[in-house]
Each structure stands twice: as C-alpha cells, then as structure tokens.
Amino acid sequence: MEASKEAFLREFGEHYGYPNGPKTIDEIRATEFKRLDGLVYLDHAGATMYSELQMEAIFKDFTTNVYGNPHSQSDTSSSTSDIVREARQQVLDYCKASPKDYSCIFTSGATAALKLVGEAFPWSCQSCFTYTMENHNSVLGIREYALDQGAAAFAIDVEETVHHGVSNGTAASMKVLQHQVQRRNEASPLEEPTGEAYNLFAFPSECNFSGLRFSLDLVKIIKEDPARILEGSPFCNGRWMVLIDAAKGSATEPPDLSLYPADFVVMSFYKLFGYPTGLGVLIAQNDASRLLKKTYFSGGTVTTSIADIDFVRRRKSVEELFEDGTISFLSIASVHHGFKILNSLTVSAISRHTASLAWYVRKKLLGLRHENGARVCTLYGDSKALFHDFGPIVSFNLKRSDGSWCGYREVEKLASLSGIQLRTGCFCNPGACAKYLGLSHLDLRSNFEAGHVCWDDHDIIHGKPTGAVRVSFGYMSTFEDAKKFIDFVTSSFVALPNWIESGYQLMQGSESRLGAASFYLKSITVYPIKSCAGFNVESWPLSTTGLLHDREWVLTSLSGEILTQKKVPEMCFISTFIDLNKGILFVESPRCQVKLPINFITDSCNGGREQIKLNGQRQDNILQSYKNEVNIWFSNAIGRPCTLFRCFSSNHNFCLNKIKSASMGREVQSMLNFSNEAQFLLISEESVSDLSHRVSTKDVQKGACGAASQISPMRFRPNIVVSGGEPYAEDGWKNLKIGNKYFTSLGGCNRCQMINIVHDEAGLLQKSNEPLATLALYRRMKGKIFFGILLKYERSEPVGRDGDLWLQVGQDVHPNVS
C-alpha cells in the first residue's frame, strides 16, 4: 500500500470503506462497478451510478414477474399495486415518516414534485413564499406561482455564531438577512397579513453548490417561532408550512421526519442509487396535502365523471388524487432493488465513507501552493451559516500564480482528458453561485448582456469566474478516485520550480525563432462541406471568404441545427472533390453505392431565407437548398435525416457571420462561409513532427506496446500546411506572404477533443485522449490549448477582377513581411 493511502487510512480508516459492511469498498468496485475501471466519476451530486448487480436483479425481476397497469382488478394489476404500496412504505421508512402522518406521491422527479406544490399551494394576496438564497432553480420556480397569485416572495440568508440544537432545548444564536420583498401585481394587501394566510418556507437539506447542510432545526423554528427568522416582517403571523428539497442531501442524510416534521419533502431516485431516472417523490404531511388545491383531473384521480356535463368526483386518497394517469409502475418496481443496496451498507456508513473522501480532498486542495507561495484553490462553503455539516461535495475555483483565475471550462476540459468526470458552472443554483462568487446584481446582468447563459463556455468575464468546479462522491467512490483527482490538479495547475516542461512555448510578436529559416507551402486542402472530408490540390483559387468554395456547403438537421463531427462523427467518411471546369461537387460515402455529383448551378433550387442554428443561436440566412434526392443521399450517408444548404453565392460576398479574434492580442474582422473562426487554418509540418515525438515518448514512458503512430497534419483539418524552420515558429507570425498573396495572422487556433477522433483503415472511429492531452502539457495559455494559427486573406485586387489569385504548392512562405 502506498504511503498516501496509509496516511489517509490512519486519519479516516474507521469511516472509509465500510469496514463493518457486507463488502469492502474494493470488493464493491471490483464486483459491481467494473465499468468504472480507468474512469474517475466525480459527479454524484448530478447523478450517482447504478450498481451492475442492482441492474441484474431488476432485469431478473422483470423477466420473471408480470406487472400490469395498476388501474385494473386483474391479478397482474393487483401484483403491481402491492409492489407500489411496498415502494411507498420504503420511501416513508427511509425518511422515518409514519404513514399515519405522511403520504408518498410518486412524480416524474423532484422538480415535478416541487412544481406540484407550487401550483397547488393555497396562495393568496396575504401569503408569502420565503426561501434561502441557496436553492435550486426548481425551488425558485415556485416563486412564479406565488407572485402570479398576488403573494409576496423574498429570499433570506441565515447565519449562526454558535450552533445549539433546538431539539435539545437550546436555541442557536442566529443572524438573518432578509432580501428585498418581491411583488408582481399592483394590488397589494391593504391591511397587515392575518393569521389565516398560508405561507411557504423552502430550503435544501444540502446545498448542491457548496455541500453545506442546513440544520433541520429550521423546520421547528419556522413552524413554532417564525419571528426568529422573520423578525420585523409582517408575515410572522401567517400559518407557515415548510418544504425541504432533499434531492441532493437524501443520498447520504435523508431528513428524519419523526424529529423534524416538515410539510413537504422532495427526492429523486437517480440521486440515491442511479436508477431509475425520471422518477421522484413528494412526501407530504397528510394535513398539509389536504390544503393543496388541484384543478386538473385525469385517469386514476377520480371516482366518477360525466363527459357532457360539469360533474366530477375526485378520489380521497392523497396519492390517487395527485398521481395523474398511470404511474411509472415498472420504474417504481425497480426502487426496491436500489433501497436494498443502501440498506445493506446503511446510510450512516455511506455518509461517513463519502464525507471522509470529501474532507480529504478539501484538505489537500487547501494545502496546494504555487512556487511563489500563492494559494492555488479557493473553496466555497466555509462560512458560519446555519449548517451542521458538509455533504460529500467540494466546490472551488483555481488561481494561477499571478492571481488570475483559471476558467472552470479549462479545468473540465483537462480533467476529461485525464479520464476524470466532474461538473462545472452554477449547478442550477444561482443564489449560491452569486453569494459565494461575490457576484452582484449588476455583475449578473452584465454577464448576461455579454452573452453568458447557462452551460456556455464564458467561464471568466471581466476577470471574475461565472461559476465553479464541483466534485462530489457517491457510496462507490474510492480513495483512488480522490487521489487521482488531487494528482491531476497538482500536475495541471500548480506552478512549481521548473514546472514548465522544457520545449517550445507559445510565441508572440516578431521575436520568434525565425533566423535564416526558409518556409514553403507543402499542401493545400479544401473542405467544401463543413465537417466532411476535404481534398488536396496542387493549386487553388482564392476568394473573399478564403479558398474558393471552402466550407461553402453545410448539412443541417431537420430542426435547422448545423451538423458537425462533434455530434455526427460519421460525417468524416463523406469524401469530397470539386471539378472547377465542370462546376461540379462530387461526394462519396461507404454507406452509399453511387457517387453523387452536385452541379453548382443546375442542381440547386432558388435561394431563400432559411433559419439555422449556429452555436445554439438561430439565425436567418439566405441559402441555396437542393432537391430531395440530394438530401436523401446525405441522410443515408450519415444515418440520420438532414438537409444540404449552400451559402448564397460567394461571388456576392455573402458571409454567414463576421467574427472578431483576439486570441493573441489582435482584433480582425473576417468574411466567412461556414468556418468556425477564420478563413484559413495553417499548420506547420515541423510542429506536427514535434508533437508526434512527444506523444510517442509519453507512450514509451507508460509502457505502451506496439509501433508509435505518426500523427498526420490532416488530423487538425488545416487548409494550409507549411514546411521549414523550427517547430512552432508560426506562433510569432503577425503576417505572411505566400507567393504574392498577403495574409494576416489572427492568432492561435484553440483546439478541442475533435483532434482525438480518427477513423482507421477498417472504417471504424477511434477515440483517445491524444494528442490533445500532450498539447495541454506545453501549449496551454489562459485556459486554451493552441496548435496552428488562423489566417485572414488580405485581398488587394478589386472583387471580380481577373488576376493571379491562386495558391500553388511549393510557393515560398515569407513570415512577418513589413
């Protein structure tokens, strides 16, 4: 056993690994999670993993027993009803809720359960919806129902200086910050709210952003003495009900409803044991559920109804009243097998096991220092708020040695290359995100106006993070998972003496390694259809948008989304060739028996305005479409329905968009067809050779067998390959001259995992973490991994004038021409 694990076990040995359980953690991983070999999965707060034995038991159950629709009286239906009743009881038992006091309502997930409460709650203009800042968007959405009914809503921050359990008879010393009261309708109540109005207070048992657990004493405080929390608020006199979002917290510490009698609790099963998805519960106190007002009725919720008159009688059972239609009875039948695993390990043991890993990671992250002594990591959640513990979540951001932030997308990207799956962003918890990152309302609005939305790549705006990195642990997580993550952070983000690997670094400006080196144009490649294969030529004409006809065509889905190899890797098998003399684009595919010729003029329909999706945004563009036979051919080639479009005549200077590139400190506008960033991508043959050597060296060091594979320049989909000089000399080029044509450098090309996908001689797609993983070691700058440079053609001749507008293989390349 290595020293680091021995040290960990000395500190956490009695809590880690289920020493008193039916299996140790190593046995669990070896027998029930073989698919995780070589993968570090650290997003259990998003969705935990299902056990292979669990799924085998479910499959055996479903192939042995017959389950019918429970809305019937047949034997199979009765068997299903029995299974559903048992599942309800298991849920109540999990939260120590008596069936005399609580009912278990199955929903499509925790979000659906929250929505049910929001739309059925007895809101009035004297009601109030109060919630802690740390709440999931699915909880915040309840605010819409409250405000629409004229109720007030406001958020609060609850903090304590010394924590004493209310359940032990001692009050906590608390500080409460009330945020602005929100009202949507002008008709606010004329008098103070009376004690007859119903109010709702919502909080999570565990914050899914920081991992801090709220004290469940809040349930009793709100229900018995709301003035302690809402001091000075006119809503203290109302009837307060409490909702706990236990979707995250219930996996390791479900709320004990025998001690903390909340009115509503919501959970999702995939957070508990991975499967089933699309199934959750609302645990509702019976008295509270009778106050919920339901409008819609459906199959299963009524005792009788008459079709042609206003007559309906609803069922009295809480579950039957709120479960619309046929419940997901097969998913419910599988719940038993998940609870069997949790019960065998015990929730308390799972909580201790996962907490030991989270504490280890927090401790290690806080101890990391750069060579200048600066902290590497900023952890979130280390506050005096009214929390009694941490859940198995660690949320943080990383800083460089100069104090600037590392973007969370950079961390996620590099982690993925290292086989580590984690989560980044705000985790659908905007209040916690803003609170811990110190983002004001002005910051949030400014970020939105700058184009930042959920799930995008804008991780740093105006020098501030817009989200964080989160790792979270599940019952099957191991010390090895945590250790590999810490090693990854250390090797990728901690600046130590001699941290930068010796070798060629990114160069800027004219102070590059030019010397007396000579360069020439080695190859030219045209890619007529975006993301499909290109073809090499000895010479090719230039246009206002780059190489003539380069990325002039595009395939879209039926919904208008532009298709690329990222989502449709089969596009790489479509080969292309253009005969300029005949004006024909030829395409071939191993999935299609015939070569398809597309005449530039006769085969296209009239140009028209089409709406397509580019980078998630819909845009109106004037495009040429094609006959149905063409679209059928391409649909067969990629195995899904698609449509071919062409930019409406590049001769008319049409461009899809204008871009600004400042990756190396310059801003230049370019006219493009369907290129992502620039008209040209230039790759150096010497740079590719150096990269290949580095990848081969890594393989040897890892003991990889077999001949080293040479990386082809075509792996990077360049338009221009140059030869000569030293590797990476192109980094310092501000401009260049090829023959008598001039080009401006727009800076380095930021690479993604597309360069890790290749198709072999058998026509199969192969994916690895190379060469991007190697490039990340020495070609990373401010969160981006650069390889190759982007170019813009500086055309001096008037448009339409005949002249020598061709590039020719073998032409001399002269960088940094003054």
Side-chain angles (χ1 to χ4, degrees):
M1 184 184 300
E2 62 180 52
S4 58
K5 187 168 186 178
E6 289 180 350
F8 170 81
L9 291 177
R10 282 195 297 271
E11 186 172 1
F12 299 106
E14 65 176 303
H15 304 296
Y16 172 79
Y18 314 108
N20 300 317
K23 289 182 180 180
T24 66
I25 183 60
D26 292 335
E27 291 171 333
I28 291 173
R29 283 293 287 263
T31 60
E32 301 184 37
F33 295 92
K34 296 184 287 291
R35 67 188 187 280
L36 292 181
D37 288 350
L39 180 70
V40 177
Y41 182 83
L42 297 177
D43 187 25
H44 296 274
T48 197
M49 294 284 98
Y50 51 80
S51 158
E52 290 155 26
L53 294 184
Q54 172 190 354
M55 300 307 294
E56 290 173 7
I58 292 171
F59 181 75
K60 182 178 180 181
D61 184 358
F62 288 177
T63 54
T64 303
N65 299 299
V66 178
Y67 296 116
N69 190 317
H71 293 167
S72 181
Q73 300 299 315
S74 67
D75 290 342
T76 56
S77 298
S78 297
S79 297
T80 302
S81 297
D82 292 340
I83 290 292
V84 171
R85 272 193 296 271
E86 292 173 10
R88 294 191 204 277
Q89 187 60 50
Q90 283 185 302
V91 171
L92 295 178
D93 290 344
Y94 190 66
C95 294
K96 298 182 180 178
S98 168
K100 295 180 181 179
D101 302 319
Y102 286 91
S103 297
C104 170
I105 302 166
F106 286 112
T107 65
S108 63
T111 294
L114 292 166
K115 182 174 181 287
L116 191 160
V117 173
E119 64 186 4
F121 194 82
W123 304 109
S124 72
C125 62
Q126 292 189 332
S127 295
C128 181
F129 175 50
T130 303
Y131 51 92
T132 55
M133 280 291 288
E134 297 95 331
N135 258 309
H136 196 279
N137 267 327
S138 296
V139 175
L140 301 186
I142 295 175
R143 183 177 63 194
E144 297 298 297
Y145 292 108
L147 295 177
D148 275 351
Q149 294 298 317
F154 63 89
I156 63 171
D157 280 311
V158 185
E159 295 186 353
E160 69 171 354
T161 54
V162 180
H163 176 65
H164 304 283
V166 172
S167 57
N168 296 328
T170 307
S173 176
M174 289 182 297
K175 177 183 177 183
V176 178
L177 172 64
Q178 295 186 25
H179 291 254
Q180 179 181 357
V181 175
Q182 309 158 61
R183 278 196 185 274
R184 181 162 295 168
N185 298 333
E186 294 295 331
S188 57
L190 299 177
E191 65 277 343
E192 291 286 310
T194 67
E196 301 303 315
Y198 289 99
N199 308 309
L200 183 64
F201 176 72
F203 71 98
S205 60
E206 181 184 322
C207 175
N208 77 318
F209 186 98
S210 66
L212 285 168
R213 289 174 175 152
F214 280 77
S215 171
L216 296 186
D217 287 331
L218 280 170
V219 175
K220 290 187 176 180
I221 293 173
I222 288 292
K223 293 177 76 68
E224 297 173 5
D225 188 14
R228 288 188 58 201
I229 297 292
L230 308 173
E231 184 178 358
S233 170
F235 299 101
C236 293
N237 298 326
R239 299 184 181 182
W240 280 93
M241 308 179 80
V242 179
L243 182 154
I244 299 177
D245 176 10
K248 171 60 190 77
S250 58
T252 52
E253 191 169 299
D256 186 339
L257 296 180
S258 67
L259 297 177
Y260 308 100
D263 297 280
F264 308 105
V265 175
V266 302
M267 298 189 303
S268 284
F269 292 106
Y270 74 96
K271 303 272 190 180
L272 299 179
F273 32 71
Y275 185 87
T277 58
L279 183 68
V281 291
L282 169 64
I283 303 174
Q285 202 173 66
N286 292 331
D287 290 341
S289 63
R290 295 187 186 99
L291 299 174
L292 299 181
K293 300 176 180 179
K294 190 165 183 285
T295 302
Y296 177 76
F297 69 86
S298 65
T301 64
V302 297
T303 56
T304 186
S305 67
I306 300 177
D308 57 344
I309 63 173
D310 182 11
F311 182 86
V312 62
R313 293 294 180 266
R314 301 173 187 264
R315 292 187 180 274
K316 301 298 183 183
S317 164
V318 173
E319 298 94 340
E320 292 176 326
L321 179 62
F322 288 101
E323 291 173 350
D324 289 318
T326 300
I327 55 179
S328 184
F329 57 89
L330 291 180
S331 293
I332 294 171
S334 69
V335 164
H336 160 74
H337 302 283
F339 275 123
K340 185 176 181 180
I341 291 175
L342 299 189
N343 294 335
S344 68
L345 296 174
T346 74
V347 175
S348 61
I350 292 172
S351 181
R352 294 193 303 272
H353 169 79
T354 54
S356 67
L357 294 172
W359 277 110
Y360 169 77
V361 169
R362 288 191 187 98
K363 180 179 178 181
K364 289 296 184 180
L365 288 177
L366 284 175
L368 294 178
R369 297 289 189 276
H370 291 295
E371 60 175 334
N372 61 2
R375 282 185 178 270
V376 175
C377 184
T378 297
L379 290 181
Y380 300 118
D382 185 16
S383 71
K384 297 180 180 179
L386 185 60
F387 309 102
H388 72 280
D389 205 353
F390 276 100
I393 283 178
V394 184
S395 183
F396 62 93
N397 271 311
L398 301 175
K399 281 189 171 183
R400 300 183 178 89
S401 57
D402 63 1
S404 63
W405 293 99
C406 298
Y408 57 76
R409 284 290 292 124
E410 176 184 1
V411 180
E412 185 175 35
K413 186 177 183 179
L414 296 178
S416 182
L417 289 174
S418 298
I420 299 172
Q421 307 301 308
L422 43 74
R423 186 79 171 268
T424 62
C426 276
F427 326 122
C428 298
N429 197 326
C433 187
K435 174 179 177 179
Y436 289 117
L437 299 182
L439 299 174
S440 66
H441 291 167
L442 181 61
D443 290 329
L444 296 172
R445 287 180 178 270
S446 176
N447 290 349
F448 177 75
E449 290 169 358
H452 173 54
V453 295
C454 295
W455 305 340
D456 68 12
D457 291 339
H458 298 296
D459 50 9
I460 303 289
I461 299 180
H462 305 309
K464 285 185 176 182
T466 60
V469 182
R470 185 186 74 186
V471 297
S472 51
F473 298 94
Y475 76 82
M476 73 297 297
S477 298
T478 64
F479 168 79
E480 287 72 22
D481 292 335
K483 177 67 164 51
K484 185 171 181 180
F485 169 71
I486 292 298
D487 290 345
F488 154 72
V489 173
T490 303
S491 63
S492 300
F493 295 97
V494 179
L496 301 171
N498 302 319
W499 178 63
I500 298 296
E501 179 183 330
S502 60
Y504 300 104
Q505 303 304 314
L506 288 167
M507 299 291 293
Q508 299 185 43
S510 58
E511 295 76 29
S512 58
R513 302 167 298 275
L514 289 178
S518 61
F519 303 85
Y520 70 94
L521 181 55
K522 180 68 178 291
S523 69
I524 303 169
T525 307
V526 184
Y527 304 90
I529 305 175
K530 182 178 177 66
S531 244
C532 293
F535 62 97
N536 293 332
V537 292
E538 287 296 310
S539 61
W540 198 258
L542 295 169
S543 72
T544 55
T545 57
L547 293 172
L548 184 63
H549 302 309
D550 187 60
R551 278 160 281 215
E552 198 166 297
W553 287 265
V554 69
L555 292 174
T556 72
S557 67
L558 297 185
S559 64
E561 181 181 9
I562 290 179
L563 301 180
T564 67
Q565 286 189 35
K566 288 183 179 180
K567 292 186 176 180
V568 190
E570 294 81 5
M571 293 178 70
C572 71
F573 296 121
I574 298 178
S575 60
T576 60
F577 176 73
I578 288 178
D579 187 323
L580 289 175
N581 294 324
K582 296 180 179 179
I584 295 177
L585 165 65
F586 295 96
V587 290
E588 291 185 90
S589 168
R591 293 186 174 184
C592 301
Q593 295 181 353
V594 298
K595 178 191 294 187
L596 178 67
I598 302 175
N599 190 289
F600 293 175
I601 301 174
T602 61
D603 287 348
S604 61
C605 301
N606 293 329
R609 188 167 294 277
E610 299 285 346
Q611 194 174 77
I612 61 175
K613 286 183 182 178
L614 180 68
N615 299 325
Q617 302 296 317
R618 287 192 175 273
Q619 298 184 5
D620 283 331
N621 296 276
I622 299 176
L623 305 173
Q624 286 183 340
S625 58
Y626 286 85
K627 300 174 183 177
N628 193 46
E629 305 86 77
V630 173
N631 295 327
I632 291 175
W633 190 96
F634 280 100
S635 298
N636 291 333
I638 67 173
R640 66 178 68 189
C642 64
T643 304
L644 180 71
F645 288 107
R646 181 189 180 193
C647 271
F648 188 76
S649 181
S650 59
N651 294 328
H652 289 81
N653 299 323
F654 172 81
C655 65
L656 181 64
N657 63 336
K658 292 186 178 181
I659 62 102
K660 287 186 177 180
S661 175
S663 57
M664 301 282 278
R666 294 177 289 278
E667 291 194 7
V668 186
Q669 287 193 342
S670 300
M671 295 187 69
L672 308 176
N673 285 329
F674 288 110
S675 303
N676 285 338
E677 296 183 86
Q679 295 173 345
F680 302 88
L681 170 62
L682 180 149
I683 294 292
S684 160
E685 192 174 45
E686 280 66 31
S687 300
V688 175
S689 178
D690 177 78
L691 173 60
S692 293
H693 175 72
R694 291 169 183 264
V695 173
S696 298
T697 301
K698 279 182 62 177
D699 290 342
V700 171
Q701 291 173 348
K702 292 180 180 179
C705 301
S709 58
Q710 189 71 16
I711 297 174
S712 166
M714 294 302 105
R715 188 86 163 257
F716 305 94
R717 293 179 64 82
N719 296 109
I720 296 172
V721 177
V722 299
S723 185
E726 294 187 20
Y728 315 107
E730 66 274 13
D731 291 343
W733 297 354
K734 292 181 178 180
N735 56 60
L736 64 151
K737 178 182 176 184
I738 304 177
N740 62 352
K741 269 72 67 181
Y742 291 86
F743 301 83
T744 298
S745 172
L746 305 182
C749 179
N750 182 27
R751 312 311 311 210
C752 68
Q753 293 202 29
M754 277 299 302
I755 64 175
N756 291 341
I757 301 175
V758 294
H759 59 277
D760 57 23
E761 296 178 357
L764 300 176
L765 293 170
Q766 301 289 338
K767 183 177 180 180
S768 69
N769 66 344
E770 293 294 357
L772 194 60
T774 296
L775 284 172
L777 296 176
Y778 72 107
R779 299 285 300 173
R780 194 167 101 239
M781 185 174 72
K782 295 294 184 181
K784 296 182 178 180
I785 302 171
F786 291 105
F787 192 75
I789 60 172
L790 303 171
L791 300 179
K792 173 196 172 186
Y793 173 42
E794 299 294 349
R795 179 169 182 164
S796 57
E797 301 83 353
V799 176
R801 172 182 170 183
D802 293 333
D804 184 19
L805 300 181
W806 289 63
L807 286 182
Q808 176 77 43
V809 169
Q811 287 178 323
D812 290 336
V813 176
H814 301 281
N816 294 330
V817 179
S818 58

